[in-house]
Amino acid sequence: MRTPLLEIKNLQKKYPIYGPLGKLFPPKTYMNAVSGMQLQLFEGETYGLVGESGCGKSTTGRSIVGLVKPEGGEILYNGHDLTKLNDKEFRPLRRDLQMVFQDTLSSMNPRQRIGPLLEEPMVIQGIGDPASRRAAVIDILQKVGLAEEHYFRYPHELSGGQVQRLGIARALIINPKLIVCDEPVSALDVSIQAQILNMLTGLQKEMNLSLLFIYHDIGVVRYISHRIGVMYLGSLVEEAETEELFSNTLHPYTQALFASVPDVSVKTEKKIALKGELPVRTDEFKGCVFHTRCPYANDHCREAMPELREVRPGHKVACHLIGR
Ligand code: SF4
């Protein structure tokens, strides 16, 4: 049995919901942004995480790199439970766990030139001397399709595509093992998206990287991912290898999600239309996460949460009606 590079078990993260007077008063309730989330990520693989906006994809990704502090569950990496580490204990592991953001520019210091900006993570991690750090920056600039002359430029002087290349360079500069890519190319034109995705997959093979690829476009996720997980209301509802998921789409939510994308062909007897908004999941929420919008929901679905079970080799589904 393969050992995962990173494993998430029963992850929990809540956010407060305030009344009309905001933070003047205690929260009205708490929204379970992530609840019972589980995931395994293997060395060298790209795992695509899909689901509607607000389903908990980004919170899951940010928890891995330490930008969000979960209230419960485990994120196991290299013998550590990342959820239990303080900042000082987490710092050496940051070298292995990096993130590429949708809006790279806003995550950078506008007064810092690109050279020092890329050298900074190496300085923090105590890697190399000034000459070797500069050589590493020039090397990574070229690997991501930028030029040596960009060393002296400011990030705001770059085009949108070049900024995302810079974001990837910053994630790669300290040779990470895993990169969380949160909507990394969604703000770019389709042709630029394709160039950057091809570059990313090339670098992934070259550097044996694992990618957690969080993205709204199912077609792009299908193109880039080895396995895909489908999230709904803070939990994983289906997971399989990419082509297995598209050939045997089992969970009603996944069927509805795929049916909403015109160029994704889904083999299902009945196409499900996804109606209504994503409900808020609080501690009082009972049953299957999808029961409020599922056309097959019955009384049992409204009472009991189905567990994520393997119903075909490597194919897991959380639905009472599947695989029984
Ligand atoms: Fe629908 Fe019930 Fe399956 Fe949930 S468990 S997806 S509500 S049929």
Side-chain angles (χ1 to χ4, degrees):
M1 208 167 105
R2 282 195 300 165
T3 307
L5 177 71
L6 179 130
E7 182 165 17
I8 295 177
K9 290 183 179 174
N10 193 26
L11 196 69
Q12 313 283 339
K13 177 66 192 173
K14 296 180 187 194
Y15 291 114
I17 299 178
Y18 292 96
L21 294 175
K23 293 182 181 175
L24 277 178
F25 291 96
K28 274 194 330 186
T29 184
Y30 285 85
M31 175 187 79
N32 294 330
V34 171
S35 183
M37 180 61 185
Q38 51 183 295
L39 187 152
Q40 292 184 325
L41 194 63
F42 295 93
E43 194 176 310
E45 89 164 336
T46 300
Y47 187 104
L49 199 54
V50 298
E52 285 166 279
S53 172
C55 70
K57 312 183 292 285
S58 293
T59 301
T60 301
R62 285 168 178 258
S63 301
I64 293 172
V65 296
L67 292 176
V68 162
K69 198 80 189 153
E71 282 98 25
E74 297 170 283
I75 302 177
L76 304 173
Y77 175 77
N78 204 13
H80 301 275
D81 177 0
L82 303 182
T83 65
K84 306 286 186 300
L85 304 182
N86 61 34
D87 281 354
K88 193 172 165 211
E89 292 163 332
F90 203 110
R91 199 169 303 138
L93 298 173
R94 277 221 172 87
R95 184 170 177 168
D96 289 355
L97 308 168
Q98 290 291 307
M99 183 146 186
V100 176
F101 299 90
Q102 177 180 1
D103 185 3
T104 296
L105 207 52
S106 69
S107 66
M108 291 176 173
N109 179 351
R111 285 191 287 276
Q112 206 171 20
R113 290 182 197 268
I114 287 170
L117 191 147
L118 290 178
E119 285 170 11
E120 194 173 46
M122 290 187 281
V123 173
I124 292 169
Q125 292 288 339
I127 300 169
D129 54 33
S132 66
R133 287 197 283 264
R134 183 167 175 158
V137 166
I138 289 167
D139 181 51
I140 204 73
L141 284 173
Q142 289 166 346
K143 276 191 170 138
V144 299
L146 295 171
E148 186 173 343
E149 53 121 358
H150 288 113
Y151 186 96
F152 300 101
R153 306 263 287 272
Y154 289 98
H156 65 79
E157 295 178 74
L158 304 182
S159 68
Q162 285 175 325
V163 167
Q164 286 315 96
R165 289 176 188 272
L166 177 60
I168 292 168
R170 192 174 57 173
L172 293 175
I173 191 72
I174 46 178
N175 282 319
K177 300 261 192 316
L178 189 162
I179 302 183
V180 176
C181 302
D182 191 1
E183 301 279 343
V185 292
S186 55
L188 305 175
D189 292 344
V190 175
S191 61
I192 311 280
Q193 282 184 10
Q195 287 172 16
I196 293 182
L197 291 173
N198 286 334
M199 177 200 76
L200 192 59
T201 47
L203 288 170
Q204 178 194 23
K205 286 194 193 106
E206 190 183 325
M207 301 173 78
N208 196 30
L209 288 165
S210 302
L211 301 179
L212 179 65
F213 194 81
I214 299 167
Y215 209 64
H216 67 281
D217 185 323
I218 308 286
V220 168
V221 175
R222 183 180 194 174
Y223 170 72
I224 199 169
S225 307
H226 299 108
R227 289 189 303 139
I228 295 177
V230 182
M231 272 189 92
Y232 186 81
L233 221 57
S235 302
L236 204 62
V237 295
E238 187 162 10
E239 179 191 79
E241 288 188 2
T242 300
E243 283 321 307
E244 161 69 12
L245 186 68
F246 283 88
S247 324
N248 293 297
T249 312
L250 298 176
H251 196 282
Y253 173 65
T254 315
Q255 292 178 355
L257 186 70
F258 288 0
S260 67
V261 184
D263 55 349
V264 171
S265 55
V266 186
K267 285 183 189 159
T268 171
E269 285 166 19
K270 190 177 167 191
K271 290 212 167 178
I272 300 170
L274 204 51
K275 293 183 187 147
E277 298 291 313
L278 211 59
V280 174
R281 184 174 178 186
T282 62
D283 282 347
E284 287 71 47
F285 191 95
K286 281 196 302 188
C288 168
V289 285
F290 192 48
H291 81 258
T292 59
R293 297 164 92 188
C294 179
Y296 311 118
N298 57 31
D299 287 348
H300 185 48
C301 301
R302 285 182 270 277
E303 285 298 320
M305 169 100 168
E307 61 181 49
L308 192 72
R309 292 174 299 111
E310 186 165 1
V311 293
R312 292 167 56 91
H315 192 154
K316 297 178 184 170
V317 186
C319 175
H320 291 305
L321 304 188
I322 295 166
R324 296 283 181 196

